[in-house]
Structures are given as structure tokens and as C-alpha cells.
Amino acid sequence: MSDSPALLKPAELDPATAITRQICEQMDRCLLGRESLHRLVLTGLLSRGHILLEGLPGLGKTALVRTIGNILQLDFNRVQFTPDLMPGDVLGSHILQQTESGHREMIFEPGPVFTNILLADEINRASPKTQSAMLETMQERSVTLRGQTRELPQPFFVIASQNPIEMEGTYPLPEAQLDRFLFRVMFDAVDAGVLQRIITERRQGDLPSPNWQASADDLNYLFTVMERIYLPKPVAGYIARLVAATHPDHAEAPESVKQYVQYGTSPRAAIAMGEAARANALLDGRPTVGFEDVAAVAKPVMNHRLILNYQARFDRVDASRVLTDLLEEMDETGLDLPTDVSLQKA
Amino acid sequence: MSTIDPALQSFVRRVHAMMIYRSVLRWSALWLMIAGVVVLGIRFTSDLPGDWWKYLLASWALLVAIAWYRESQRRPDPKQLRAAFDRQNHAGGLVMAAAEVDTRSWEARSGSLALPSVQWHSGSAWLGTILALVFFITALLVPVKYARLIADPPLEISQQVEDLHEQIDVLESEYILSPQQAENKREELDRIAEQASGLNPSKTWEALDQLLHTNEQIAQQQAEDALSKLNALNEASLLGKALEMLPKGLEDQKAFEEGLKQLGQLMNQLNQDGALDPNNLPPELQKAMQQALKQLGQGEGPDAEQLKQLLEALENNQDQLLDLARQLAQKGLIPPNLADQFQPGELGGLDPGPLAELLKQHGGDFQELLEQLGPELGGHEEANRGPGHAPLLYGNESSEEGAEFQEQKLGLSVPLEQAKLAGVTITAPEVTGGEAILGQGALNTAQAGGGNALAAPVLPRHRTAVKRFFTRPGVNPPAVPE
């Protein structure tokens, strides 16, 4: 036990928890009726992951990204992806300029990707060429042009959005790029009560300014604490078994996976789930990751990574339902008790 | 040591105890079933030992020990139990982390962890155990007499045994079976009745059937003998009555003597066959019959009184045979059709008066007379081949003498060499003449192309081949049509 990393002390974790609570409160204050979504997005940011928002226009995707940037005091750029958008429009390009000494040289003009938070609006409208240009930025957090690699500012997040109903003239994201998003978050419509509050409290839809902002030190402290959130081996084992069971030929795969899944999730999903579970534990103010943290993030982590077969399309089964079955049927502990024996909370 | 550990160890012990309890209860149900069967088996075959409950308790204790050992071997992984303990307490991984890192600084915050309850849905196991217990108690308390009834159910064959006893009595009383044979059969019958069991009824029924079949065979054979004797007695009786009626004139003396001779032969034959049993006759008839037989043997005719007594003795013997047949038929030892053939009285119901006249005409040759009167003396029944189930076979074919056949004239035929070529056609030839020929006779219904010679045309291209066929070596060819 002496060789094991030291667990966070309450005195170390509590300030971080307080910061996350403040961030969530500010987000909830600025954007009404999206508490769980705010928590999920913050979980993604703490995990240093990219987020794909999927929802109808006008639901507040841009407002969400703008609010986060404002609260965290991070640079924010927004790119509207269109079919004629070229990689250079996103990454930047070299321009021939004359220097003061009279020489002409190629000067790099950074694109909008050189920011902390990039909102890639309607990312599926861009051509595959431009979508591919995002691969390196999302994974390596760097841009390589003319043989020169430039690091992006840290932290760097891509929050992309796509419209699920207007599919004509779009280029669905390839699996390789989808896999680079930590979460795919569904942006549902708000209920009538929230809408009434928005109408009465938000004239012209203007967002209120946050009355508290996190500093760069706060953000760095959060990332430092994140590194020390402890992932117990049984939980890591559960994540591994969960990801393995998404493959239809795996022994533990439930019936719905065998019936509807063509390809399961990648090891990147397991890594993402571990990180997201850590962030979820941090938001809950716990130094260790529990099974409930995994359950909280399993669906947004895996729902865009599962590739369903035609049978699922015929039966109108989506990834969310398959994952629900998977989470319900798989015992977290792997305890091999007889089926007629169960454990109940005292 | 973590403060979580005591609670965790209690939880592990609780799970282990539950698993042992589960195994013991389930195995107990099986054990009770087996013990019930064993107890039932012992009670059926012998008596339970006095300290049977000690064996029972010892075996149950052994069962508990095996269950404990087995569940100890299959004890769940402590790490998994720790994880389950964490999950049930919503400890957020703290209990799991306690096995790997120092979590004491957080244990005070988490408060006291509750022991999760281990629940086993034991309804079906308890139901099975209760049913097994009921079975065991039933096996222990069920009266042995009922148990024996279950083990060896009786087979109701008293009626069949009684019938067979009566049959044996009849066969013995009629001297068909000797007393020793009858006694052997009775012993065999009693043994079959004693060994009769409802568990294997077919064995008993087969044995009874075999005994019945043997009795029937013996009785039937005896009845067939008796029937032939009865026929001979009837014959002798008829002849005797005819002789009694025959006038004793000078002309008839030869016929009378011849009849007496025939009667003597018949009586001797009957005597040799045992049909004339003197034991069945009154003493005076016995004496008369012996006297008559003696005289007949010496070729002397009996007087009227002796003949009358002889006829009476014959009737007595007839009655005895009829009585035998009636008794065998009553006991079902002979088939009804055989029993019906036993008829009292004279042969074929003939009146002895006209027979006497016929005997006179035939010079007293009774056998010849019988042969001539054979068809009329066939008996009261239809013609048959005697007792038994032999099929009735046809003999010679019926004679065609006197039968009339319908005459049919055959039409005129023309020799082939005189035939004229009317024409050549590849289809069926059109009949333009010769209806008189074709309209009657053997070719009346012949169809063109039906295969007969008249209708089959020979085409020019086949003519050479046909000619070659008829002129092949070794064959005397008929005239080839040109």
C-alpha cells in the first residue's frame, strides 16, 4: 500500500469541488433548464475531451459554448461549417508577405482553430477533406502545415454540433472522427416551464453575464486534481468488461448486442470512459471512482461509437437502447452469485 | 487496518452462510426423497432397524458437512464481494479503493457502512423440501399391508381356477384322465393360483391358458373317439332293430343269417374298440350281452328276447357316450359343433322297417346297403369332412355330359395365298367390302392396327425385309404376299 499513489485528502479535493460547483451554478444561471447537460459538458471539459452536440437548431448550442468560454475565461471561436469550407479556413494558411527588410516570405496566418474552445457548428456540412483536417487537431492538439507543427493553446476543446434532421447535402462524420469525440450529447427541447422563464427573463434571448468566473489557476487546479482521482481496479475491470461486451462475439455480450451491433467500441472508448468517470467523481466531490460514475457517463461515451447493423435499423433500435440493455444486464462487480440470490441495501 | 474491514468481513461471512444454507436446504430436499425411498424399500422387504433415526441424522450431518466444504471451495472472490459491498452502500469506490490505497481520511466522512442483506428467493426450494418431507413421513407411516399391496397387487383369477378344477373333475370322472394325472393337474393349477401376481398378470394368464388348452385337447380327442363309437353303435342298433323286424320266413333265412353275421362283426368290432363297456350296464343286461356276443361269435342267432336285450345294451352305451359329450360341452371342453354331432337314435334317422325290407332284398348285406344308401345316410348335418377344422375340398371336376353350349359359326376365311392386294396405305385401311367376313366370326371385334394379320399392312419399303424374313434359312416359308 505504501507504493500506491496517495489518495487525495479532503482538504485537497474540497476546493476543486467548490470550483466545479461554482461553474455549474453559473452555467445553470445563464442557461435555463439544462442542469444535467451542463454537468455532462463540464465532465467532458474536465476530461479534456471533445464533445459532439446533436440537436435541432435554436436549442442553445452556441449559447452553451459561449457561456462556458465566458465562465472559464477561455478564448472562443466559432466556425460555421459549409461544403465549401476548406481546411485552410479552419487551420490557417501561409501568406506571402514582404518584410521590412524587403524580403518576401511565407507568413503563417493562424486559423480559428487556434483557440481554447472551438465551436464547429454543423460540422457534418463540411466536406470530408475539411473534416479530416480536424483529426490531428482533435487528437494531437496540434496543427501541421508545410512540415511545421504548431501546438494549439491549452486547454483546447472542440465542441461540434450537428443537426439530426437535415441530412441532405451533409457528409456524415466518419467513424474515425466520431471516435475522437469524448461524448455525443443529445440536445433535447426544454419543457414549457423553462421556455416561459426564458421568454420572461431573457429579452431578445440575451444571455446574462456570469457573476463569477474561473481563473486560469482554478482551471489548472481542477486538471491537477483530476489527475489524482483514484480509479479502483474493480471499476477499471468493469469498464473493460463493459467495452468488451459491446462486441457481438464476446462471451458477456447481452442478446441485444449480439442482435443489433455490427462493431463494438474501441479501446479509446474505455480510456474515455475512465477519464469521464473520474471527472464525474470530481463533480460529486469524491476522491475515488465508483460504479455509479461509470454508469453516468457510459451512454454519452459509447452511443456514437457503436456501429449498429441493418437489423437495428429495421427494428428502429438505436444505440441508446442497446446500451441500456448492456448496462442493465451486466453485473458491475462480476460476482458470480446464483441467479436466485441477490444483494439488497440494508 | 481500515475501519471498513470489519463490516466487510461480516458481509463476506453473511454471503458464505447464505450459500451454505441454500445448498443444505436444496440438498436436504433431495436427501429426504432418497431417504423416503430407502425407508419405503426397507419396510416393504423387511423391518426398519431400531436405531434407524441415528443413521438418518448421521447421513444428514454428513450432507451438511459436504455442503459446507463445497461452498467453502466455491466462495466468491473477496475482491468481488468488496466491490459488491461498495456498490450496495453507494460508497463511490471508497471501499474498493481501501484495498489499494489509504482511505482513512475519507472513512470518517463516509459514516458507518450498512451491511447489505443477502436475499435468496427460496420459495421453490422450501416447497421442494416440504414435499420431500411429506413423502418421507408418508413412507415412514404408511401401513405395511398397503405397502405390500403396492409391492404385490393381487390378481383375480378365482373364477378361472374354479372352472379349470371342474374341468379336471369331469375329465377324471369320465376316465379321460387317470387319478394321478388329474392330481398332477390340480397341483399345477394350485401352484399357478398361488404364484399369481398383479405385477405380471400375463405370465399367470398364459399358464392358465396353457392348462385349459391341454384339457381341451384331451377332451376333444376323447370326444372324437366317442363320436366314432357312437356312430358304430348307431349302426349296430339300426341293424339289430332291422333284424328284429325281419320276418322269419324260409326265404328270409339267408338274409337273416347274413344280417346276424354282419351284426356279429359290428359287435365284435365295437367290443374291441371298447365301445361296449359292460361296466355301464345292469347285471342282467351284461349277462344278456355277453350271451349274445358269444352266440354271435359262434354264428348262432339270438332269439327275440336276447336281441331285445342286446338292443337295450346298445342304447345304454349310446346314452353313456351322449352323456359324456354333454358333460364335456357343458364345461367348454369341446367346441359346440362337435357336441352337436352327438345325436341319439338310429343311423341317419332311418326307419328300421323299410330298412328290414331293403335288407331282405340285398340278401342281408348290410355294409353294401349302407354304401348304396350313403348319400341319404349322410347324417342330419351338411356334408363335411368330420370333426376338426379341415377345409372342405372339391373333388373331381363336374362332368360336361348333357351340358349344352351355344353354337357359334365362324366366318368364311380365305387362305393367304389366295388373298388379293387391295392397295397400299400407311394408315388403317378403309373397309370397302368384306363386311360379311369381318362382321362375324373370330375377327368380329378386331380393330385396324390392333395387331391381327388381316389389318396390318405391309408397306412397299418393308416388303424386301418381310420377304427376307420369311425366306430365311431353316424356315419353311409360307407364301409371301405379292
Side-chain angles (χ1 to χ4, degrees):
Chain A
M1 195 177 284
S2 58
D3 295 338
S4 303
L7 198 65
L8 281 168
K9 297 286 186 287
E12 295 170 317
L13 183 62
D14 288 345
T17 308
I19 294 169
T20 56
R21 194 174 299 122
Q22 286 274 15
I23 296 171
C24 283
E25 283 175 6
Q26 291 302 316
M27 289 173 72
D28 296 343
R29 198 179 73 80
C30 297
L31 298 166
L32 301 176
R34 298 281 186 195
E35 288 80 7
S36 59
L37 185 70
H38 297 158
R39 184 184 168 91
L40 205 56
V41 170
L42 185 57
T43 303
L45 296 183
L46 290 174
S47 309
R48 295 172 181 267
H50 310 294
I51 299 169
L52 178 63
L53 302 175
E54 195 168 297
L56 297 173
L59 288 176
K61 296 188 286 290
T62 310
L64 171 68
V65 178
R66 191 184 298 275
T67 304
I68 290 172
N70 202 358
I71 292 171
L72 298 180
Q73 297 191 68
L74 295 174
D75 286 339
F76 162 71
N77 280 334
R78 175 179 182 277
V79 178
Q80 182 67 42
F81 278 57
T82 55
D84 58 351
L85 187 75
M86 299 306 289
D89 298 335
V90 180
L91 304 178
S93 56
H94 288 83
I95 301 169
L96 185 64
Q97 283 190 348
Q98 188 170 6
T99 60
E100 293 175 354
S101 60
H103 290 94
R104 290 176 182 173
E105 57 183 17
M106 299 296 286
I107 303 295
F108 177 70
E109 186 65 28
V113 76
F114 284 86
T115 183
N116 292 120
I117 302 177
L118 174 69
L119 174 59
D121 215 357
E122 298 194 88
I123 190 173
N124 57 337
R125 292 203 175 278
S127 65
K129 184 178 181 180
T130 308
Q131 290 176 2
S132 299
M134 299 291 292
L135 289 176
E136 185 190 359
T137 62
M138 292 173 73
Q139 183 64 29
E140 311 294 336
R141 288 179 165 81
S142 61
V143 172
T144 302
L145 285 171
R146 293 172 61 94
Q148 189 175 359
T149 301
R150 293 178 175 82
E151 294 292 327
L152 294 175
Q154 293 299 320
F156 173 72
F157 309 107
V158 174
I159 298 179
S161 72
Q162 62 178 8
N163 187 343
I165 56 168
E166 294 177 7
M167 301 306 290
E168 195 171 348
T170 62
Y171 302 91
L173 293 175
E175 280 75 21
Q177 191 160 359
L178 276 176
D179 202 29
R180 280 168 169 75
F181 285 101
L182 178 78
F183 288 161
R184 184 178 70 160
V185 181
M186 300 299 173
F187 235 84
D188 297 326
V190 292
D191 58 25
V194 175
L195 278 176
Q196 186 181 354
R197 281 186 62 196
I198 292 171
I199 292 166
T200 53
E201 296 176 15
R202 306 288 157 82
R203 296 296 304 275
Q204 303 291 327
D206 291 338
L207 292 172
S209 299
N211 52 18
W212 177 89
Q213 287 180 306
S215 65
D217 291 340
D218 290 340
L219 207 53
N220 286 332
Y221 185 67
L222 285 179
F223 288 135
T224 306
V225 169
M226 260 291 292
E227 295 300 317
R228 293 181 59 193
I229 297 291
Y230 189 76
L231 181 69
K233 286 177 184 171
V235 180
Y238 173 52
I239 293 172
R241 286 170 47 231
L242 207 56
V243 169
T246 59
H247 295 267
D249 53 350
H250 192 265
E252 276 194 285
E255 192 55 38
S256 58
V257 169
K258 289 176 180 169
Q259 191 176 359
Y260 295 123
V261 176
Q262 190 170 11
Y263 298 107
T265 56
S266 64
R268 192 180 277 145
I271 297 167
M273 209 181 312
E275 291 302 316
R278 278 191 171 95
N280 196 71
L282 172 60
L283 290 178
D284 276 354
R286 282 184 280 106
T288 54
V289 180
F291 294 122
E292 55 269 41
D293 298 317
V294 178
V297 299
K299 277 189 185 178
V301 167
M302 291 197 290
N303 64 4
H304 57 293
R305 291 180 162 100
L306 277 184
I307 299 174
L308 304 182
N309 57 19
Y310 281 105
Q311 184 66 37
R313 198 175 297 176
F314 291 149
D315 294 349
R316 298 178 181 277
V317 172
D318 57 6
S320 178
R321 187 180 139 188
V322 174
L323 289 171
T324 302
D325 291 345
L326 176 65
L327 291 168
E328 282 178 357
E329 293 188 22
M330 180 166 283
D331 183 71
E332 297 97 324
T333 62
L335 191 62
D336 190 21
L337 286 178
T339 53
D340 54 352
V341 176
S342 61
L343 303 175
Q344 302 290 330
K345 185 171 172 60
Chain B
M1 182 180 174
S2 169
T3 56
I4 298 170
D5 289 348
L8 184 64
Q9 285 168 4
S10 296
F11 174 65
V12 171
R13 280 196 297 271
R14 184 178 286 188
V15 172
H16 189 214
M18 174 59 80
M19 299 305 290
I20 292 173
Y21 162 61
R22 177 175 172 273
S23 286
V24 167
L25 190 62
R26 292 174 64 176
W27 290 13
S28 292
L30 185 65
W31 172 80
L32 281 169
M33 288 294 292
I34 295 171
V37 171
V38 170
V39 165
L40 212 55
I42 293 174
R43 294 192 69 210
F44 281 9
T45 54
S46 59
D47 293 329
L48 281 174
D51 50 355
W52 60 271
W53 55 274
K54 289 181 183 173
Y55 296 111
L56 215 62
L57 283 179
S59 62
W60 190 76
L62 182 67
L63 178 94
V64 173
I66 292 171
W68 177 83
Y69 176 75
R70 184 168 175 268
E71 290 303 328
S72 299
Q73 296 297 311
R74 296 173 52 195
R75 191 181 289 204
D77 186 357
K79 289 178 184 173
Q80 292 175 337
L81 284 173
R82 180 182 282 271
F85 186 76
D86 185 297
R87 182 190 60 187
Q88 295 302 323
N89 276 289
H90 299 289
L94 192 66
V95 177
M96 289 182 277
E100 302 163 17
V101 292
D102 184 7
T103 57
R104 278 175 294 185
S105 57
W106 289 94
E107 286 167 12
R109 280 198 180 188
S110 62
S112 61
L113 296 169
L115 274 181
S117 65
V118 186
Q119 292 191 348
W120 172 38
H121 306 289
S122 57
S124 57
W126 270 110
L127 182 65
T129 307
I130 290 169
L131 289 177
L133 186 65
V134 169
F135 170 70
F136 176 75
I137 293 171
T138 306
L140 208 58
L141 301 179
V142 66
V144 177
K145 61 177 182 179
Y146 294 132
R148 298 231 166 105
L149 281 180
I150 295 168
D152 188 11
L155 182 65
E156 178 52 47
I157 53 167
S158 57
Q159 184 61 44
Q160 290 96 316
V161 170
E162 188 181 343
D163 291 347
L164 281 169
H165 268 298
E166 288 178 1
Q167 286 182 356
I168 294 169
D169 290 344
V170 168
L171 291 174
E172 187 184 14
S173 66
E174 295 298 332
Y175 303 105
I176 298 171
L177 291 178
S178 67
Q180 183 59 39
Q181 286 175 324
E183 193 56 35
N184 290 342
K185 280 190 175 291
R186 285 192 190 97
E187 285 176 4
E188 186 183 355
L189 185 58
D190 292 341
R191 184 180 55 79
I192 292 169
E194 190 180 345
Q195 294 179 352
S197 169
L199 290 179
N200 190 8
S202 58
K203 181 184 171 187
T204 305
W205 289 332
E206 281 176 11
L208 290 175
D209 283 347
Q210 176 65 25
L211 197 59
L212 177 65
H213 183 63
T214 311
N215 289 348
E216 284 177 349
Q217 272 189 328
I218 295 169
Q220 196 165 336
Q221 189 178 356
Q222 194 68 24
E224 286 170 4
D225 290 346
L227 183 60
S228 61
K229 288 173 187 172
L230 182 65
N231 286 335
L233 282 172
N234 284 343
E235 209 172 296
S237 179
L238 181 65
L239 180 58
K241 284 182 182 176
L243 287 175
E244 197 177 23
M245 291 179 179
L246 203 64
K248 304 295 187 295
L250 191 58
E251 293 177 1
D252 304 323
Q253 191 60 35
K254 186 184 173 189
F256 185 72
E257 287 175 357
E258 188 63 29
L260 281 177
K261 189 179 173 185
Q262 299 270 338
L263 182 60
Q265 288 173 358
L266 272 173
M267 294 296 286
N268 282 329
Q269 185 63 39
L270 283 170
N271 198 25
Q272 286 172 8
D273 292 345
L276 298 176
D277 189 356
N279 296 324
N280 296 325
L281 300 174
E284 62 275 14
L285 281 181
Q286 284 182 29
K287 188 177 175 185
M289 195 180 71
Q290 286 170 358
Q291 181 69 28
L293 285 173
K294 187 177 176 184
Q295 286 183 347
L296 286 169
Q298 293 169 355
E300 297 175 3
D303 56 15
E305 186 60 27
Q306 285 175 334
L307 196 57
K308 188 179 175 184
Q309 288 180 348
L310 182 64
L311 288 174
E312 196 174 343
L314 288 174
E315 282 179 8
N316 276 337
N317 278 289
Q318 285 174 331
D319 290 344
Q320 185 194 355
L321 292 176
L322 290 172
D323 185 55
L324 167 67
R326 191 177 61 252
Q327 288 203 50
L328 293 179
Q330 275 179 356
K331 298 300 174 192
L333 287 166
I334 57 172
N337 58 349
L338 179 59
D340 290 345
Q341 292 177 32
F342 283 83
Q343 293 295 332
E346 296 81 12
L347 189 66
L350 281 179
D351 190 353
L355 183 65
E357 189 62 30
L358 287 170
L359 197 63
K360 191 173 105 180
Q361 291 174 8
H362 283 77
D365 193 344
F366 185 61
Q367 288 300 330
E368 183 187 337
L369 185 60
L370 281 181
E371 285 173 7
Q372 284 190 8
L373 294 176
E376 288 83 10
L377 295 176
H380 297 286
E381 297 295 325
E382 294 177 357
N384 60 50
R385 294 176 62 86
H389 301 289
L392 190 62
L393 300 175
Y394 290 102
N396 296 330
E397 293 179 0
S398 57
S399 171
E400 294 181 357
E401 189 180 354
E404 290 186 358
F405 296 94
Q406 186 180 2
E407 289 183 1
Q408 191 170 8
K409 278 187 177 178
L410 295 176
L412 295 172
S413 60
V414 179
L416 197 58
E417 58 269 20
Q418 296 176 15
K420 290 182 179 177
L421 180 63
V424 176
T425 173
I426 59 171
T427 60
E430 185 184 357
V431 178
T432 55
E435 287 87 352
I437 298 172
L438 291 173
Q440 57 183 327
L443 299 176
N444 184 21
T445 56
Q447 297 294 321
N452 65 65
L454 188 62
V458 179
L459 299 178
R461 60 178 178 273
H462 296 151
R463 189 178 297 277
T464 309
V466 172
K467 186 181 284 184
R468 199 165 49 242
F469 173 80
F470 284 105
T471 56
R472 67 190 190 278
V475 175
N476 187 20
V480 179
E482 292 297 333

